[in-house]
Amino acid sequence: MSTTLAAAREELQQQIAALVRQYFEADAQRPFIPGETWVSLVTPSYGSEEVLQALESLLSQQLTLNQRASGKVARFEQAWASYVGARHGVMVNSGSSANLLALALLAGPGVPAERRLMPGDEVITPAVTWTTTVSPIYQVGARPVFVDVRPEDLTLDVRQLEAARSPRTKAVLPVHLLGNPCDMDAIRRFADRHGLWVIEDSCEAHGAAWQGRRVGCFGELATFSFFFSHHLTTIEGGMVMTSDSAMADELKTMRSQGVPRNVADPLAYLERVYAVDAAYRRLDPRYLFATLGYNVRPTEIGGGFGLVQVARIDEAIAARQGNARQWRDAFGRYPDLFELPQEQEGCRHVYLGFPVLVRPEAPFRRDEFAQYLESRRIETRPIMTGLVTRHPALRH
């Protein structure tokens, strides 16, 4: 590229950046008018810097997953793993895919046979969650065993774990619902006592903490979602966390159609995990299919979004916690009507949303209350799926 052309492109990029920043500055000036402006469940949480990261990827034509450590996805994976307190992060295209990949890994040949998740084995998980916590359990041939959540904080009721366990139980999949961390000390003790895997569904709990440690580092595996409505967004996206290097290599291979091209030394990985025959060395390692995988790769555009957002994740959490305090003050005036979320001692609740339970003795039902709020331009929704077992998908 000539010096003149490079200079012209640089000038154009600066002009584009100035216009993008100007656009978002104007958008930020829109006033909030009580009673007229919708109080939405989801509002855009990105700005000019994320858009400029996306434009940089588009203009440079570096779009899909970059294999090098200098790529945006790789740098975001490292930054988020460091924030969470895990050694490795493996980004995928959604939190749902993150859950599927984590379960598929435990059902795959890279896991010792005695601990492998086999058809008919059981996974303990809460009955109040999002459906893609449960779907992957079925999709790998296992069976979910549901336990209830505690109404006071909507976290998995650890008192029910022992009764839910059977000789076929292989894993526990707790969900930090709406940003409220589960009792990970009790869950970890239970799992260690019985030799079970722990997979933390942290999809809604970015930055939540239990006894000073951030969720996502307690289990052998953990998952996050970076969907549009979450504390940190890449629009669509997710990540699997682990501190086990062999698991990280397997996850990187599985996310990319079973090709270990994201692994530092593909042949050494194949020999270590699968004890491959020397004949496989004749295959091009760039197109060597090591295992049955998926195509759930992220894009560099999403990685760029994540790099910007991870730097201000605590700012986003503080805003949600401030909103929660206002809702708590408002609803707290009516203790006979509503039950509000409690925070367990020593935990950090990050409030993906603010759950409100209408008490049985209230003179109105939940749906009536939701309609009342909606009529006043306050958007509502049920708590996740409600009871997931009531949905037609589980009848299959």
Side-chain angles (χ1 to χ4, degrees):
M1 184 186 300
S2 68
T3 304
T4 304
L5 181 57
R9 284 189 168 184
E10 176 64 27
E11 183 178 350
L12 283 170
Q13 288 177 354
Q14 291 177 3
Q15 292 175 11
I16 291 169
L19 288 170
V20 169
R21 292 191 177 101
Q22 182 180 343
Y23 178 90
F24 277 91
E25 286 169 4
D27 191 57
Q29 301 305 313
R30 290 185 300 174
F32 178 84
I33 304 172
E36 295 184 18
T37 305
W38 269 99
V39 178
S40 301
L41 285 167
V42 180
T43 56
S45 61
Y46 65 89
S48 60
E49 297 310 308
E50 289 91 337
V51 171
L52 291 173
Q53 277 281 354
L55 283 172
E56 193 278 331
S57 295
L58 290 164
L59 294 171
S60 68
Q61 299 180 338
Q62 295 293 319
L63 302 175
T64 191
L65 177 62
N66 190 324
Q67 312 303 319
R68 297 183 295 274
S70 59
K72 292 180 181 180
V73 167
R75 287 186 285 139
F76 174 46
E77 288 173 335
Q78 184 177 21
W80 188 245
S82 177
Y83 180 83
V84 168
R87 288 181 61 192
H88 305 283
V90 179
M91 190 180 179
V92 291
N93 63 353
S94 71
S96 303
S97 295
N99 282 339
L100 175 60
L101 217 60
L103 269 296
L105 183 148
L106 296 184
V111 172
E114 66 275 9
R115 298 200 68 192
R116 191 175 304 154
L117 196 59
M118 302 295 289
D121 283 343
E122 296 174 349
V123 178
I124 299 173
T125 198
V128 180
T129 182
W130 190 244
T131 182
T132 51
T133 304
V134 179
S135 300
I137 300 173
Y138 285 116
Q139 288 161 347
V140 300
R143 176 176 173 266
V145 174
F146 294 107
V147 297
D148 209 345
V149 296
R150 302 179 349 143
E152 59 266 32
D153 55 25
L154 302 180
T155 64
L156 183 149
D157 189 344
V158 296
R159 297 167 297 185
Q160 298 183 26
L161 288 173
E162 287 291 350
R165 189 181 69 87
S166 82
R168 299 221 63 168
T169 304
K170 286 285 183 69
V172 187
L173 206 171
V175 180
H176 305 299
L177 200 74
L178 294 172
N180 203 4
C182 297
D183 183 343
M184 290 311 301
D185 289 340
I187 292 169
R188 191 71 261 180
R189 284 194 301 268
F190 169 75
D192 291 343
R193 185 162 61 246
H194 299 294
L196 308 177
W197 300 107
V198 174
I199 311 161
E200 289 178 80
D201 185 330
S202 310
C203 286
E204 305 167 0
H206 309 65
W210 174 259
Q211 305 302 326
R213 295 175 62 196
R214 292 193 177 110
V215 301
C217 70
F218 292 92
E220 285 81 14
L221 294 160
T223 60
F224 285 91
S225 169
F226 305 129
F227 181 58
F228 184 60
S229 61
H230 290 193
H231 308 73
L232 184 157
T233 182
T234 60
I235 308 304
E236 295 281 0
M239 197 176 293
V240 187
M241 320 305 298
T242 183
S243 289
D244 185 303
S245 297
M247 282 187 165
D249 283 346
E250 187 78 344
L251 290 164
K252 290 176 182 178
T253 300
M254 293 171 66
R255 78 171 168 190
S256 191
Q257 302 168 335
V259 180
R261 62 176 61 150
N262 289 140
V263 175
D265 188 340
L267 289 174
Y269 154 78
L270 287 167
E271 290 173 354
R272 182 181 72 249
V273 178
Y274 296 106
V276 297
D277 187 275
Y280 290 111
R281 291 186 176 277
R282 293 198 297 269
L283 298 174
D284 187 330
R286 298 172 302 165
Y287 300 97
L288 192 158
F289 293 88
T291 189
L292 298 178
Y294 304 86
N295 185 3
V296 294
R297 291 175 302 213
T299 67
E300 289 294 286
I301 295 172
F305 254 69
L307 281 172
V308 174
Q309 294 236 323
V310 73
R312 56 172 188 251
I313 180 65
D314 288 316
E315 177 185 332
I317 291 169
R320 290 175 184 260
Q321 290 173 326
N323 290 341
R325 284 192 293 272
Q326 291 188 51
W327 289 119
R328 190 179 294 279
D329 289 344
F331 287 114
R333 301 169 194 165
Y334 310 101
D336 296 335
L337 304 180
F338 305 113
E339 187 168 347
L340 305 181
Q342 296 180 16
E343 298 183 17
Q344 299 183 75
E345 186 176 353
C347 85
R348 184 195 195 197
H349 193 326
V350 294
Y351 292 98
L352 178 72
F354 189 80
V356 178
L357 303 185
V358 176
R359 293 187 181 276
E361 59 270 24
F364 49 82
R365 311 313 305 144
R366 182 195 67 177
D367 291 348
E368 293 173 308
F369 180 56
Q371 290 170 10
Y372 174 86
L373 292 174
E374 296 274 352
S375 71
R376 281 150 179 78
R377 306 183 76 78
I378 298 172
E379 195 173 8
T380 69
R381 57 158 297 159
I383 294 175
M384 305 315 291
T385 61
L387 185 60
V388 70
T389 56
R390 288 179 176 167
H391 288 265
L394 268 73
R395 293 184 183 177
H396 302 305

